[in-house]
Coordinates of all heavy atoms in Angstrom, one line a residue:
M228 N 0.9 -1.2 0.0 CA 0.0 0.0 0.0 C 0.9 1.2 0.0 O 1.9 1.3 0.8 CB -0.9 0.0 1.2 CG -2.0 1.0 1.2 SD -3.1 0.9 2.6 CE -4.4 -0.1 2.1
K229 N 0.5 2.2 -0.8 CA 1.3 3.4 -0.9 C 0.9 4.4 0.1 O -0.2 4.4 0.7 CB 1.1 4.0 -2.3 CG 1.7 3.1 -3.4 CD 1.5 3.8 -4.8 CE 2.1 2.9 -5.9 NZ 1.9 3.5 -7.2
A230 N 1.8 5.4 0.4 CA 1.6 6.4 1.4 C 0.3 7.2 1.1 O -0.5 7.5 2.0 CB 2.8 7.3 1.5
D231 N 0.1 7.6 -0.1 CA -1.1 8.4 -0.5 C -2.4 7.6 -0.3 O -3.4 8.1 0.1 CB -1.0 9.0 -1.9 CG -0.9 7.9 -3.0 OD1 -0.4 6.8 -2.7 OD2 -1.2 8.2 -4.1
E232 N -2.3 6.3 -0.5 CA -3.5 5.4 -0.2 C -3.8 5.3 1.3 O -5.0 5.4 1.7 CB -3.3 4.0 -0.8 CG -3.2 4.0 -2.3 CD -2.8 2.6 -2.8 OE1 -2.4 1.7 -2.0 OE2 -2.9 2.4 -4.0
I233 N -2.8 5.3 2.1 CA -2.9 5.2 3.5 C -3.5 6.5 4.0 O -4.5 6.5 4.8 CB -1.6 4.9 4.2 CG1 -1.1 3.5 3.8 CG2 -1.7 5.1 5.7 CD1 0.3 3.2 4.3
L234 N -3.0 7.6 3.5 CA -3.5 9.0 3.9 C -5.0 9.1 3.5 O -5.8 9.7 4.2 CB -2.7 10.1 3.3 CG -1.3 10.2 3.9 CD1 -0.5 11.3 3.1 CD2 -1.4 10.6 5.4
K235 N -5.3 8.7 2.3 CA -6.7 8.7 1.8 C -7.6 7.9 2.7 O -8.7 8.4 3.1 CB -6.8 8.3 0.4 CG -8.1 8.5 -0.2 CD -8.2 8.1 -1.7 CE -9.6 8.3 -2.2 NZ -9.7 8.0 -3.6
K236 N -7.2 6.7 3.1 CA -8.0 5.9 3.9 C -8.2 6.5 5.3 O -9.3 6.5 5.9 CB -7.4 4.5 4.1 CG -8.2 3.5 4.8 CD -7.8 2.1 4.6 CE -8.8 1.2 5.3 NZ -9.4 0.2 4.5
A237 N -7.1 7.1 5.8 CA -7.2 7.8 7.1 C -8.2 9.0 7.1 O -9.0 9.2 8.0 CB -5.8 8.3 7.5
E238 N -8.2 9.7 6.0 CA -9.1 10.8 5.8 C -10.6 10.3 5.7 O -11.5 10.9 6.3 CB -8.8 11.6 4.5 CG -7.6 12.5 4.7 CD -7.2 13.2 3.3 OE1 -7.9 13.0 2.3 OE2 -6.2 13.8 3.3
E239 N -10.8 9.2 5.0 CA -12.1 8.6 4.9 C -12.6 8.1 6.3 O -13.8 8.3 6.6 CB -12.1 7.4 4.0 CG -11.9 7.8 2.5 CD -11.7 6.6 1.6 OE1 -11.6 5.5 2.0 OE2 -11.6 6.9 0.4
L240 N -11.7 7.5 7.1 CA -12.1 7.1 8.5 C -12.5 8.3 9.3 O -13.5 8.3 10.1 CB -11.0 6.3 9.1 CG -10.8 4.9 8.6 CD1 -9.5 4.3 9.2 CD2 -12.0 4.0 9.0
Q241 N -11.7 9.4 9.2 CA -11.9 10.6 10.0 C -13.3 11.2 9.6 O -14.0 11.7 10.4 CB -10.8 11.6 9.9 CG -9.6 11.2 10.7 CD -8.4 12.2 10.6 OE1 -8.3 12.9 9.6 NE2 -7.6 12.2 11.6
A242 N -13.5 11.2 8.3 CA -14.7 11.8 7.7 C -15.9 11.0 8.2 O -17.0 11.6 8.6 CB -14.7 11.9 6.2
A243 N -15.8 9.7 8.2 CA -16.9 8.8 8.7 C -17.2 9.0 10.2 O -18.3 9.1 10.6 CB -16.6 7.4 8.4
Q244 N -16.1 9.1 11.0 CA -16.2 9.4 12.4 C -16.9 10.8 12.7 O -17.8 10.9 13.5 CB -14.9 9.3 13.1 CG -14.3 7.9 13.2 CD -12.9 7.9 13.8 OE1 -12.2 8.9 13.8 NE2 -12.5 6.7 14.2
L245 N -16.5 11.8 11.9 CA -17.0 13.1 12.1 C -18.5 13.1 11.7 O -19.3 13.7 12.5 CB -16.3 14.1 11.3 CG -16.8 15.6 11.3 CD1 -16.7 16.1 12.8 CD2 -16.0 16.5 10.4
A246 N -18.9 12.4 10.7 CA -20.3 12.3 10.3 C -21.1 11.6 11.3 O -22.2 12.1 11.6 CB -20.4 11.6 8.9
A247 N -20.6 10.6 11.9 CA -21.3 9.8 13.0 C -21.5 10.7 14.2 O -22.5 10.7 14.8 CB -20.5 8.6 13.3
K248 N -20.4 11.5 14.6 CA -20.5 12.4 15.7 C -21.5 13.5 15.5 O -22.3 13.8 16.4 CB -19.1 13.0 16.0 CG -18.2 12.0 16.7 CD -16.8 12.6 16.8 CE -16.7 13.5 18.0 NZ -15.3 14.0 18.3
Q249 N -21.5 14.0 14.3 CA -22.5 15.1 14.0 C -23.9 14.6 14.0 O -24.8 15.2 14.4 CB -22.1 15.8 12.6 CG -20.9 16.7 12.7 CD -20.6 17.3 11.4 OE1 -20.8 16.7 10.3 NE2 -19.9 18.5 11.5
A250 N -24.1 13.4 13.5 CA -25.5 12.8 13.4 C -25.9 12.5 14.9 O -27.1 12.7 15.2 CB -25.4 11.5 12.6
A251 N -25.0 12.1 15.7 CA -25.4 11.8 17.1 C -25.7 13.1 17.9 O -26.6 13.1 18.8 CB -24.3 11.0 17.8
V252 N -25.1 14.2 17.6 CA -25.3 15.4 18.4 C -26.5 16.3 17.8 O -27.0 17.1 18.5 CB -24.0 16.3 18.4 CG1 -23.8 17.1 17.2 CG2 -24.0 17.2 19.6
S253 N -26.9 16.0 16.6 CA -28.0 16.7 16.1 C -29.3 16.7 16.9 O -29.9 17.8 17.2 CB -28.3 16.2 14.6 OG -29.4 17.0 14.1
P254 N -29.8 15.5 17.4 CA -31.0 15.6 18.3 C -30.7 16.3 19.6 O -31.6 17.0 20.1 CB -31.3 14.1 18.5 CG -30.5 13.3 17.5 CD -29.4 14.2 17.1
L255 N -29.5 16.2 20.1 CA -29.1 16.9 21.3 C -29.2 18.4 21.1 O -29.7 19.1 22.0 CB -27.7 16.4 21.8 CG -27.2 17.2 23.1 CD1 -28.1 16.9 24.3 CD2 -25.8 16.8 23.3
A256 N -28.7 18.8 20.0 CA -28.7 20.3 19.7 C -30.1 20.8 19.7 O -30.4 21.9 20.2 CB -28.0 20.6 18.4
A257 N -31.0 20.1 19.1 CA -32.4 20.5 19.0 C -33.1 20.6 20.4 O -33.8 21.6 20.7 CB -33.2 19.6 18.1
I258 N -32.8 19.6 21.2 CA -33.4 19.6 22.5 C -32.8 20.6 23.4 O -33.5 21.3 24.2 CB -33.3 18.1 23.1 CG1 -34.1 17.1 22.4 CG2 -33.6 18.2 24.6 CD1 -33.9 15.7 22.7
L259 N -31.5 20.8 23.3 CA -30.8 21.8 24.0 C -31.3 23.2 23.7 O -31.5 24.0 24.6 CB -29.3 21.7 23.8 CG -28.4 22.7 24.5 CD1 -28.6 22.6 26.0 CD2 -27.0 22.6 24.1
A260 N -31.5 23.5 22.4 CA -32.1 24.8 22.0 C -33.5 25.0 22.6 O -33.8 26.1 23.2 CB -32.1 24.9 20.5
R261 N -34.3 24.0 22.6 CA -35.6 24.1 23.2 C -35.6 24.3 24.7 O -36.3 25.1 25.3 CB -36.4 22.8 22.9 CG -37.8 22.8 23.5 CD -38.8 23.7 22.8 NE -40.1 23.6 23.4 CZ -40.9 24.5 23.7 NH1 -40.5 25.8 23.5 NH2 -42.1 24.3 24.2
R262 N -34.6 23.6 25.3 CA -34.5 23.7 26.8 C -34.0 25.1 27.2 O -34.5 25.6 28.2 CB -33.4 22.6 27.2 CG -33.2 22.5 28.7 CD -32.3 21.4 29.0 NE -32.2 21.3 30.4 CZ -31.3 20.5 31.1 NH1 -30.5 19.8 30.4 NH2 -31.3 20.4 32.4
I263 N -33.1 25.7 26.5 CA -32.6 27.0 26.7 C -33.8 28.0 26.6 O -34.0 28.9 27.4 CB -31.4 27.4 25.8 CG1 -30.2 26.6 26.2 CG2 -31.2 28.9 25.9 CD1 -29.1 26.7 25.3
Q264 N -34.6 27.8 25.5 CA -35.8 28.7 25.3 C -36.8 28.6 26.5 O -37.2 29.6 27.0 CB -36.5 28.3 24.0 CG -37.7 29.0 23.7 CD -38.5 28.5 22.5 OE1 -38.1 27.5 21.9 NE2 -39.6 29.2 22.2
L265 N -37.0 27.4 27.0 CA -38.0 27.2 28.1 C -37.4 27.8 29.4 O -38.1 28.3 30.2 CB -38.3 25.7 28.3 CG -39.1 25.1 27.2 CD1 -39.2 23.6 27.3 CD2 -40.5 25.7 27.1
Q266 N -36.1 27.6 29.6 CA -35.5 28.2 30.8 C -35.6 29.7 30.8 O -35.8 30.3 31.8 CB -34.0 27.7 30.9 CG -33.9 26.3 31.3 CD -32.4 25.8 31.3 OE1 -31.6 26.3 30.5 NE2 -32.1 24.8 32.1
T267 N -35.4 30.3 29.6 CA -35.5 31.7 29.5 C -37.0 32.2 29.8 O -37.2 33.2 30.5 CB -35.1 32.2 28.0 OG1 -33.8 31.8 27.8 CG2 -35.3 33.7 27.9
E268 N -37.9 31.5 29.2 CA -39.3 31.8 29.4 C -39.7 31.6 30.9 O -40.4 32.5 31.5 CB -40.3 30.9 28.6 CG -40.2 31.2 27.1 CD -41.1 30.2 26.3 OE1 -42.0 29.7 26.8 OE2 -40.7 30.1 25.1
L269 N -39.2 30.6 31.6 CA -39.4 30.4 33.0 C -38.8 31.5 33.8 O -39.5 32.1 34.7 CB -38.8 29.0 33.4 CG -39.0 28.7 34.9 CD1 -40.5 28.6 35.3 CD2 -38.3 27.4 35.3
A270 N -37.6 31.9 33.5 CA -37.0 33.0 34.2 C -37.8 34.3 34.1 O -37.8 35.1 35.0 CB -35.5 33.2 33.7
E271 N -38.4 34.5 32.9 CA -39.2 35.7 32.7 C -40.5 35.7 33.6 O -41.1 36.8 33.8 CB -39.6 35.9 31.3 CG -38.4 36.2 30.4 CD -38.7 36.1 28.9 OE1 -39.9 35.7 28.5 OE2 -37.9 36.4 28.1
T272 N -40.9 34.6 34.2 CA -42.1 34.5 35.0 C -41.7 34.8 36.5 O -42.7 34.9 37.3 CB -42.8 33.2 34.9 OG1 -42.0 32.2 35.5 CG2 -43.1 32.9 33.5
E273 N -40.5 34.8 36.8 CA -40.1 34.9 38.3 C -40.6 36.2 38.9 O -41.2 36.1 40.0 CB -38.6 34.9 38.4 CG -38.0 33.5 38.2 CD -38.5 32.4 39.1 OE1 -38.6 32.7 40.3 OE2 -38.7 31.3 38.7
V274 N -40.4 37.3 38.3 CA -40.9 38.6 38.9 C -42.4 38.7 39.0 O -42.9 38.9 40.1 CB -40.3 39.8 38.2 CG1 -40.9 41.1 38.7 CG2 -38.8 39.9 38.3
P275 N -43.2 38.4 37.9 CA -44.6 38.5 38.1 C -45.2 37.4 39.0 O -46.1 37.7 39.8 CB -45.2 38.3 36.7 CG -44.0 38.1 35.8 CD -42.8 38.2 36.6
Y276 N -44.5 36.3 39.1 CA -45.0 35.2 40.0 C -44.8 35.7 41.4 O -45.6 35.5 42.3 CB -44.2 33.9 39.7 CG -44.6 32.8 40.7 CD1 -45.7 32.1 40.5 CD2 -43.8 32.5 41.8 CE1 -46.1 31.0 41.4 CE2 -44.1 31.5 42.6 CZ -45.2 30.7 42.4 OH -45.6 29.7 43.3
G277 N -43.6 36.3 41.7 CA -43.3 36.7 43.1 C -44.3 37.8 43.5 O -44.8 37.8 44.6
K278 N -44.7 38.7 42.6 CA -45.6 39.8 42.9 C -47.0 39.1 43.2 O -47.7 39.5 44.1 CB -45.7 40.8 41.8 CG -44.5 41.7 41.7 CD -44.7 42.6 40.5 CE -43.5 43.5 40.4 NZ -43.6 44.4 39.2
A279 N -47.4 38.2 42.3 CA -48.7 37.6 42.5 C -48.8 36.8 43.8 O -49.8 36.8 44.5 CB -49.0 36.7 41.3
Y280 N -47.7 36.1 44.2 CA -47.7 35.3 45.4 C -47.8 36.2 46.6 O -48.6 36.0 47.5 CB -46.4 34.5 45.5 CG -46.3 33.5 46.6 CD1 -46.6 32.2 46.4 CD2 -45.8 33.9 47.8 CE1 -46.6 31.3 47.4 CE2 -45.8 33.0 48.9 CZ -46.1 31.7 48.6 OH -46.1 30.7 49.7
V281 N -47.1 37.4 46.6 CA -47.1 38.3 47.7 C -48.5 38.9 47.8 O -49.0 39.1 48.9 CB -46.0 39.4 47.6 CG1 -46.2 40.5 48.5 CG2 -44.6 38.7 47.8
E282 N -49.1 39.2 46.7 CA -50.5 39.8 46.7 C -51.5 38.8 47.3 O -52.4 39.2 48.0 CB -50.9 40.2 45.3 CG -50.2 41.4 44.8 CD -50.5 41.8 43.4 OE1 -51.5 41.3 42.8 OE2 -49.8 42.7 42.8
A283 N -51.3 37.5 46.9 CA -52.2 36.5 47.5 C -52.0 36.4 49.0 O -53.0 36.3 49.7 CB -51.9 35.1 46.9
E284 N -50.7 36.5 49.5 CA -50.5 36.5 50.9 C -51.1 37.7 51.6 O -51.7 37.6 52.6 CB -49.0 36.5 51.2 CG -48.3 35.1 51.0 CD -46.9 35.2 51.4 OE1 -46.2 36.2 51.1 OE2 -46.4 34.2 52.0
S285 N -51.0 38.9 50.9 CA -51.6 40.1 51.5 C -53.1 40.0 51.5 O -53.7 40.6 52.4 CB -51.2 41.3 50.6 OG -49.8 41.5 50.6
A286 N -53.7 39.2 50.6 CA -55.2 39.1 50.6 C -55.6 38.1 51.7 O -56.8 37.8 51.8 CB -55.6 38.6 49.2
G287 N -54.7 37.4 52.4 CA -55.1 36.5 53.5 C -54.7 35.1 53.3 O -55.0 34.3 54.1
W288 N -54.1 34.7 52.1 CA -53.8 33.3 51.9 C -52.5 33.0 52.7 O -51.5 33.8 52.7 CB -53.5 33.1 50.4 CG -54.8 33.0 49.6 CD1 -55.4 34.1 49.1 CD2 -55.5 31.9 49.3 NE1 -56.5 33.7 48.4 CE2 -56.6 32.3 48.5 CE3 -55.4 30.5 49.6 CZ2 -57.6 31.4 48.1 CZ3 -56.4 29.7 49.1 CH2 -57.5 30.1 48.4
S289 N -52.5 31.9 53.4 CA -51.2 31.5 54.1 C -50.3 30.8 53.2 O -50.7 30.3 52.1 CB -51.6 30.6 55.3 OG -52.0 29.4 54.9
A290 N -49.1 30.7 53.6 CA -48.1 29.9 52.7 C -48.5 28.5 52.6 O -48.4 27.8 51.6 CB -46.7 30.0 53.4
A291 N -49.1 27.9 53.7 CA -49.6 26.5 53.7 C -50.7 26.3 52.7 O -50.8 25.3 51.9 CB -50.0 26.0 55.1
E292 N -51.6 27.3 52.7 CA -52.8 27.2 51.7 C -52.3 27.3 50.3 O -52.8 26.6 49.4 CB -53.8 28.3 52.1 CG -54.5 28.1 53.4 CD -55.3 29.4 53.7 OE1 -54.9 30.5 53.5 OE2 -56.4 29.2 54.3
L293 N -51.4 28.2 50.1 CA -50.8 28.4 48.7 C -50.1 27.1 48.3 O -50.1 26.7 47.1 CB -49.9 29.6 48.6 CG -50.7 31.0 48.8 CD1 -49.7 32.1 48.9 CD2 -51.7 31.2 47.7
A294 N -49.3 26.5 49.2 CA -48.6 25.3 48.9 C -49.6 24.2 48.6 O -49.3 23.4 47.7 CB -47.7 24.9 50.1
A295 N -50.7 24.1 49.2 CA -51.8 23.1 48.9 C -52.3 23.3 47.5 O -52.7 22.3 46.9 CB -52.9 23.2 49.9
L296 N -52.2 24.5 47.0 CA -52.7 24.8 45.6 C -51.6 24.5 44.6 O -51.8 24.6 43.4 CB -53.1 26.3 45.5 CG -54.3 26.7 46.3 CD1 -54.5 28.2 46.2 CD2 -55.5 26.0 45.9
G297 N -50.4 24.2 45.1 CA -49.2 23.9 44.2 C -48.3 25.1 44.0 O -47.4 25.0 43.2
A298 N -48.6 26.2 44.7 CA -47.8 27.4 44.6 C -46.6 27.3 45.5 O -46.8 27.3 46.8 CB -48.6 28.6 44.9
T299 N -45.5 27.3 45.0 CA -44.3 27.3 45.8 C -43.8 28.7 46.1 O -44.2 29.6 45.4 CB -43.1 26.5 45.1 OG1 -42.8 27.2 43.9 CG2 -43.4 25.1 44.9
E300 N -43.1 28.9 47.2 CA -42.7 30.2 47.6 C -41.7 30.7 46.5 O -40.8 30.0 46.1 CB -42.0 30.2 49.0 CG -41.7 31.6 49.5 CD -41.6 31.6 51.0 OE1 -42.0 30.7 51.7 OE2 -41.1 32.7 51.4
P301 N -41.9 32.0 46.1 CA -41.1 32.5 45.0 C -39.6 32.6 45.4 O -39.3 32.9 46.6 CB -41.7 33.8 44.7 CG -42.4 34.2 45.9 CD -42.9 32.9 46.5
T302 N -38.7 32.5 44.4 CA -37.3 32.7 44.7 C -37.0 34.2 44.8 O -36.1 34.6 45.5 CB -36.5 32.0 43.6 OG1 -36.8 32.5 42.4 CG2 -36.6 30.5 43.7
H303 N -37.8 35.0 44.1 CA -37.6 36.4 44.1 C -38.8 37.1 44.6 O -39.8 37.1 43.9 CB -37.2 37.0 42.7 CG -36.0 36.4 42.1 ND1 -34.7 36.7 42.6 CD2 -35.8 35.5 41.2 CE1 -33.8 36.1 41.9 NE2 -34.4 35.3 41.1
R304 N -38.8 37.6 45.8 CA -39.9 38.4 46.3 C -39.7 39.8 46.0 O -38.6 40.3 46.0 CB -40.0 38.2 47.8 CG -40.5 36.9 48.3 CD -40.6 36.9 49.8 NE -41.4 35.8 50.3 CZ -42.7 35.8 50.5 NH1 -43.3 36.9 50.4 NH2 -43.3 34.8 50.9
P305 N -40.8 40.5 45.6 CA -40.6 41.9 45.3 C -40.3 42.7 46.6 O -40.7 42.3 47.7 CB -42.0 42.4 44.8 CG -42.9 41.3 45.3 CD -42.1 40.1 45.5
R306 N -39.5 43.7 46.4 CA -39.1 44.5 47.6 C -40.3 45.4 48.0 O -41.0 46.0 47.2 CB -38.0 45.5 47.2 CG -36.7 44.7 47.0 CD -35.6 45.7 46.7 NE -34.3 44.9 46.5 CZ -33.2 45.5 46.2 NH1 -33.1 46.8 46.0 NH2 -32.1 44.7 46.0
V307 N -40.6 45.4 49.3 CA -41.7 46.1 49.8 C -41.1 47.4 50.4 O -40.2 47.4 51.3 CB -42.4 45.3 50.9 CG1 -43.5 46.2 51.5 CG2 -42.9 44.0 50.4
R308 N -41.6 48.5 49.9 CA -41.1 49.8 50.3 C -42.0 50.2 51.5 O -43.2 50.3 51.3 CB -41.1 50.8 49.2 CG -40.1 50.5 48.2 CD -40.0 51.6 47.2 NE -39.0 51.3 46.2 CZ -38.5 52.2 45.4 NH1 -39.0 53.4 45.3 NH2 -37.6 51.8 44.5
R309 N -41.4 50.5 52.6 CA -42.2 50.9 53.7 C -42.1 52.4 53.8 O -41.0 53.0 53.6 CB -41.6 50.3 55.0 CG -41.8 48.8 55.0 CD -41.3 48.2 56.3 NE -41.4 46.8 56.2 CZ -40.7 45.9 56.8 NH1 -39.7 46.4 57.6 NH2 -40.8 44.6 56.7
A310 N -43.2 53.0 54.1 CA -43.2 54.5 54.3 C -42.5 54.9 55.5 O -42.6 54.3 56.6 CB -44.7 55.0 54.4
R311 N -41.6 55.8 55.3 CA -40.8 56.3 56.5 C -41.8 57.2 57.3 O -42.5 58.0 56.7 CB -39.6 57.1 56.0 CG -38.6 56.3 55.4 CD -37.4 57.2 55.1 NE -36.3 56.4 54.4 CZ -35.2 56.9 54.0 NH1 -35.0 58.2 54.1 NH2 -34.3 56.1 53.5
P312 N -41.7 57.1 58.6 CA -42.5 58.0 59.4 C -42.0 59.5 59.2 O -40.8 59.7 59.1 CB -42.2 57.6 60.9 CG -41.0 56.8 60.8 CD -40.8 56.2 59.4
S313 N -43.0 60.4 59.1 CA -42.6 61.8 58.9 C -42.0 62.3 60.1 O -42.3 61.9 61.3 CB -43.9 62.6 58.5 OG -44.8 62.5 59.6
K314 N -41.1 63.2 60.0 CA -40.4 63.9 61.1 C -41.4 64.7 61.8 O -42.1 65.5 61.2 CB -39.2 64.7 60.6 CG -38.1 63.9 60.0 CD -37.0 64.8 59.7 CE -35.9 64.0 59.0 NZ -34.8 64.9 58.6
Q315 N -41.5 64.5 63.1 CA -42.5 65.3 63.9 C -41.9 66.7 64.1 O -40.8 66.8 64.5 CB -42.8 64.6 65.2 CG -43.5 63.3 65.1 CD -43.7 62.7 66.5 OE1 -43.2 63.1 67.5 NE2 -44.6 61.6 66.5
Q316 N -42.8 67.6 63.8 CA -42.3 69.0 64.0 C -42.7 69.4 65.4 O -43.7 69.0 65.9 CB -43.0 69.9 63.0 CG -42.6 69.6 61.6 CD -43.3 70.6 60.6 OE1 -44.0 71.4 61.0 NE2 -42.9 70.4 59.3
T317 N -41.9 70.2 66.1 CA -42.1 70.7 67.4 C -43.3 71.7 67.3 O -43.3 72.6 66.5 CB -40.9 71.3 68.0 OG1 -40.5 72.4 67.2 CG2 -39.8 70.3 68.2
P318 N -44.3 71.6 68.2 CA -45.4 72.5 68.2 C -44.9 73.9 68.6 O -44.0 74.1 69.4 CB -46.4 71.9 69.2 CG -45.5 71.0 70.1 CD -44.4 70.6 69.3
A319 N -45.6 74.9 67.9 CA -45.2 76.3 68.2 C -45.8 76.6 69.6 O -46.9 76.4 69.9 CB -45.8 77.2 67.1
T320 N -44.9 77.2 70.4 CA -45.3 77.6 71.8 C -45.6 79.1 71.9 O -46.0 79.5 73.0 CB -44.3 77.2 72.8 OG1 -43.0 77.9 72.5 CG2 -44.0 75.7 72.8
G321 N -45.4 79.8 70.9 CA -45.6 81.2 71.0 C -44.3 82.0 71.4 O -44.2 83.1 71.1
A322 N -43.4 81.3 72.0 CA -42.1 81.9 72.4 C -41.1 81.8 71.2 O -41.1 80.8 70.5 CB -41.6 81.2 73.6
D323 N -40.4 82.8 71.1 CA -39.4 82.8 70.0 C -38.2 81.9 70.5 O -37.5 82.3 71.4 CB -38.9 84.2 69.7 CG -38.0 84.3 68.5 OD1 -37.9 83.2 67.8 OD2 -37.4 85.3 68.2
T324 N -38.0 80.8 69.8 CA -36.9 79.9 70.2 C -35.6 80.1 69.4 O -34.7 79.4 69.5 CB -37.3 78.4 70.1 OG1 -37.7 78.2 68.8 CG2 -38.5 78.2 71.1
S325 N -35.7 81.1 68.5 CA -34.5 81.3 67.6 C -33.4 81.9 68.5 O -33.6 82.7 69.4 CB -34.8 82.2 66.4 OG -35.2 83.5 66.9
T326 N -32.2 81.5 68.2 CA -31.0 82.0 68.9 C -30.3 83.0 68.0 O -29.7 82.6 67.0 CB -30.1 80.9 69.3 OG1 -29.7 80.2 68.2 CG2 -30.7 80.0 70.4
E327 N -30.4 84.2 68.3 CA -29.8 85.3 67.5 C -28.5 85.7 68.1 O -28.5 86.0 69.3 CB -30.7 86.5 67.3 CG -30.4 87.3 66.1 CD -31.5 88.3 65.9 OE1 -32.7 87.9 65.7 OE2 -31.2 89.5 65.9
I328 N -27.4 85.7 67.4 CA -26.1 86.1 67.9 C -26.0 87.6 67.8 O -26.2 88.2 66.7 CB -25.0 85.4 67.2 CG1 -25.1 83.9 67.4 CG2 -23.6 85.9 67.7 CD1 -24.2 83.1 66.6
P329 N -25.7 88.3 68.9 CA -25.6 89.8 68.8 C -24.4 90.2 68.0 O -23.4 89.5 67.9 CB -25.4 90.2 70.3 CG -25.1 89.0 71.0 CD -25.5 87.8 70.2
S330 N -24.5 91.3 67.3 CA -23.5 91.7 66.4 C -22.3 92.2 67.3 O -22.4 92.6 68.4 CB -24.0 92.9 65.6 OG -23.0 93.5 64.9
Q331 N -21.1 92.1 66.7 CA -19.9 92.5 67.3 C -19.7 94.0 67.2 O -18.8 94.5 67.9 CB -18.7 91.7 66.7 CG -18.8 90.2 66.9 CD -18.6 89.8 68.3 OE1 -17.9 90.5 69.1 NE2 -19.4 88.8 68.7
N332 N -20.5 94.7 66.5 CA -20.4 96.1 66.3 C -21.0 96.8 67.5 O -22.2 96.7 67.6 CB -21.0 96.5 65.0 CG -20.8 97.9 64.6 OD1 -20.4 98.7 65.5 ND2 -21.1 98.3 63.4
P333 N -20.3 97.5 68.3 CA -20.9 98.2 69.5 C -22.0 99.2 69.1 O -22.9 99.4 69.9 CB -19.7 98.9 70.2 CG -18.5 98.5 69.5 CD -18.9 97.8 68.2
A334 N -21.9 99.8 68.0 CA -22.9 100.8 67.6 C -24.3 100.1 67.4 O -25.3 100.7 67.6 CB -22.5 101.5 66.3
V335 N -24.3 98.9 66.9 CA -25.5 98.2 66.7 C -26.1 97.7 68.0 O -27.3 97.7 68.2 CB -25.3 97.0 65.7 CG1 -26.5 96.1 65.5 CG2 -24.8 97.5 64.4
N336 N -25.3 97.3 68.9 CA -25.8 96.7 70.2 C -26.2 97.8 71.2 O -26.8 97.5 72.2 CB -24.7 95.9 70.9 CG -24.4 94.6 70.2 OD1 -25.3 94.1 69.5 ND2 -23.2 94.0 70.3
A337 N -25.9 99.1 70.9 CA -26.2 100.1 71.8 C -27.6 100.6 71.7 O -28.4 100.5 70.9 CB -25.3 101.3 71.6

């Protein structure tokens, strides 16, 4: 057998192996693409699901009741902003509580 015949046979074997590998990975690629799409869609539901779950709790549903319905606790709960208490202003007493510093100019203080 000549060297060019051996090289040609090696190329044919490699081409056959590559074709077999590509054929085997084709169904995996299709399923993987679908899986990535579904994971993306699922991730997009996290925020609205968390809001809906918290609203259900606010309406009086307990975590146990929601679990009985098949609703699991959300991984992302919406942040609840609490109103800060307003600063209480001191009531006016009628007395002037301002502290005025007298001027250093003797003509003004006289």
